[in-house]
Amino acid sequence: MSYDEMKNLWKSPDNRPTPEETERQREALVASLRKEHRAFYLRIGLAMTLMLVPLIGMVKHVIEGGPFAFNREWAVLVLFALPWIGAVLFIRRQLRHRRSHANYERSVGQTLRAALDANHAAQQRAKILQGLLALTAPVMALCIWQLQAVGKARPHEAASLAAFMAIVIAASLGGIFWDARKLRPQERKLAALVAELE
């Protein structure tokens, strides 16, 4: 059997799901998208809450007159800023996605397009995270150097902190890369389904 014959057989009415089965699959995809949206807001809310803790601690330290030389310890401000930049970019992308697919439940086509865009958003988040982590490494090295320079960290403490942060950054990058790999096959399948509808 030739490729064209196989393609025609695959697309024949006998091989198509029933309207009931199509609707069931659409509802399952809608439920999956809703779950992903809830999970996104839960994760970003938790991350921002955790990010507030050290920030509030630092602000309190400075307000109470704790030693902090802005001109010699400014790298820590950059380190604090990086995750907040990421959070803002993630939320903006998610809000744009929701605006673009406000009525994604209405039809199979709209649901599939919303799922494909959600996949693109997840891949974009992975790239942003990888970029931020790559920036974090030199900023963290600079922070450690500045801590030593102002006498807040002894050499062995700085070395231990540098080794720990290197492991954390490497493990985080590996995890993000691993998760992103799973998104690409899903993207191809969704793109093919969307193309069939157009």
Side-chain angles (χ1 to χ4, degrees):
M1 183 180 289
S2 70
Y3 171 77
D4 288 336
E5 288 172 327
M6 288 178 68
K7 189 175 179 182
N8 290 335
L9 177 62
W10 174 253
K11 290 190 172 184
S12 70
D14 293 334
N15 202 35
R16 294 280 181 180
T18 63
E20 293 78 13
E21 177 64 16
T22 299
E23 181 59 19
R24 188 189 67 76
Q25 292 176 358
R26 186 193 68 78
E27 287 176 358
L29 187 54
V30 166
S32 175
L33 283 171
R34 284 179 180 154
K35 184 179 177 182
E36 285 180 22
H37 293 154
R38 286 193 300 269
F40 169 82
Y41 288 116
L42 181 63
R43 285 194 301 267
I44 199 72
L46 179 61
M48 290 176 78
T49 301
L50 292 173
M51 284 154 46
L52 272 173
V53 174
L55 184 59
I56 291 170
M58 181 188 167
V59 170
K60 185 180 176 188
H61 172 77
V62 173
I63 289 172
E64 290 176 351
F68 184 79
F70 284 96
N71 60 331
R72 299 180 67 197
E73 298 178 70
W74 55 265
V76 73
L77 302 177
V78 179
L79 193 64
F80 276 123
L82 288 176
W84 286 101
I85 291 168
V88 169
L89 291 174
F90 295 165
I91 292 169
R92 284 184 61 188
R93 178 63 173 88
Q94 183 71 6
L95 292 174
R96 189 166 71 243
H97 164 72
R98 296 306 300 270
R99 281 194 303 269
S100 300
H101 304 280
N103 301 309
Y104 68 92
E105 305 99 334
R106 288 187 179 177
S107 71
V108 174
Q110 287 173 311
T111 305
L112 285 171
R113 288 184 191 94
L116 181 58
D117 189 49
N119 179 283
H120 290 159
Q123 290 194 56
Q124 190 177 51
R125 283 196 300 271
K127 289 176 184 174
I128 290 170
L129 274 174
Q130 288 169 340
L132 289 173
L133 282 168
L135 283 172
T136 297
V139 173
M140 177 57 71
L142 183 57
C143 280
I144 294 169
W145 180 81
Q146 287 183 343
L147 284 172
Q148 277 191 277
V150 297
K152 290 184 177 178
R154 289 173 286 189
H156 71 278
E157 293 172 333
S160 297
L161 181 58
F164 173 74
M165 289 308 301
I167 292 168
V168 169
I169 290 170
S172 299
L173 282 169
I176 294 164
F177 178 76
W178 182 259
D179 288 341
R181 283 183 60 193
K182 299 174 187 175
L183 293 168
R184 294 185 196 113
Q186 183 187 47
E187 177 192 20
R188 287 192 291 271
K189 289 176 186 176
L190 288 168
L193 289 168
V194 169
E196 279 187 25
L197 291 171
E198 292 175 346

